Amino acid sequence: VDADVLTASFANGKVVVTPFELVVSVNNQSRVYGAVNPTLTGSVTGVQPGDNITATYSTPANASSVAGDYAITATLLDPDTKLGKYNVTINNGTLTVNKVALTVKADDKSKTYDGAVFSGFTSTISGFVNGENDSVVSGTVSYSGVATTAVNAGSHVITPVVTGLGAANYTFTPVNGTLTVNAK
């Protein structure tokens, strides 16, 4: 211990050496599912001049880690063995992996006027990551809007309703399509 840089006081005939306070604060980060981790950062405060103490930061999360929160931890590097003169406090951070927004597009449809309501609505889901496809989605898309009751010629909005869909790492954004009823 370098006594010349520590605070010393006398108490009942004893020398009391007070260690320095060293605080590591890890910054919180976020990203979406399927993306690589951002650069993990933080700060180290209280290092005394001449002490070569730094930190590295890590998390167990990777691009295939599911949406949720993961700890970001710090590891102190002390090549000159100076940590013994410090009280160390480490404030870990959190990496939040957010869900990816998928697009649920009502497919455009057309038919010739026949006086009947069209019933063959479909949709296409896009935006998957990590090589996934619609097999990770549960539930079904339903449809609303003028197109679901339209019988007359013209263009009618098809509105996909995504409230019945679920997926662990995805959210759903509906995009309207068009039903075109051609005159007979």
Side-chain angles (χ1 to χ4, degrees):
V1 177
D2 295 334
D4 58 328
V5 293
L6 296 176
T7 303
S9 60
F10 296 98
N12 296 327
K14 296 180 184 177
V15 174
V16 178
V17 178
T18 305
F20 294 111
E21 296 296 322
L22 185 133
V23 178
V24 180
S25 298
V26 180
N27 296 326
N28 294 328
Q29 301 281 346
S30 66
R31 65 167 175 83
V32 294
Y33 170 70
V36 297
N37 289 336
T39 300
L40 304 177
T41 60
S43 62
V44 180
T45 57
V47 176
Q48 298 301 304
D51 292 352
N52 188 24
I53 299 171
T54 60
T56 61
Y57 308 97
S58 63
T59 182
N62 58 43
S64 61
S65 296
V66 299
D69 291 336
Y70 297 86
I72 304 172
T73 57
T75 300
L76 288 171
L77 304 173
D78 181 21
D80 302 323
T81 317
K82 299 289 186 167
L83 274 176
K85 65 182 189 178
Y86 292 91
N87 280 330
V88 177
T89 301
I90 298 178
N91 301 309
N92 289 326
T94 301
L95 171 66
T96 300
V97 176
N98 296 304
K99 293 182 177 189
V100 172
L102 296 177
T103 300
V104 181
K105 165 81 170 76
D107 298 328
D108 293 335
K109 299 292 181 174
S110 65
K111 73 173 206 161
T112 300
Y113 172 79
D114 61 2
V117 173
F118 184 81
S119 63
F121 298 111
T122 58
S123 57
T124 302
I125 302 174
S126 61
F128 292 100
V129 297
N130 284 345
E132 296 174 338
N133 57 40
D134 58 3
S135 67
V136 300
V137 176
S138 63
T140 57
V141 178
S142 60
Y143 302 92
S144 67
V146 175
T148 61
T149 58
V151 293
N152 293 325
S155 293
H156 310 283
V157 175
I158 307 167
T159 304
V161 179
V162 299
T163 55
L165 294 179
N169 296 305
Y170 299 97
T171 60
F172 302 95
T173 302
V175 176
N176 294 340
T178 302
L179 170 64
T180 303
V181 179
N182 296 309
K184 188 169 183 178

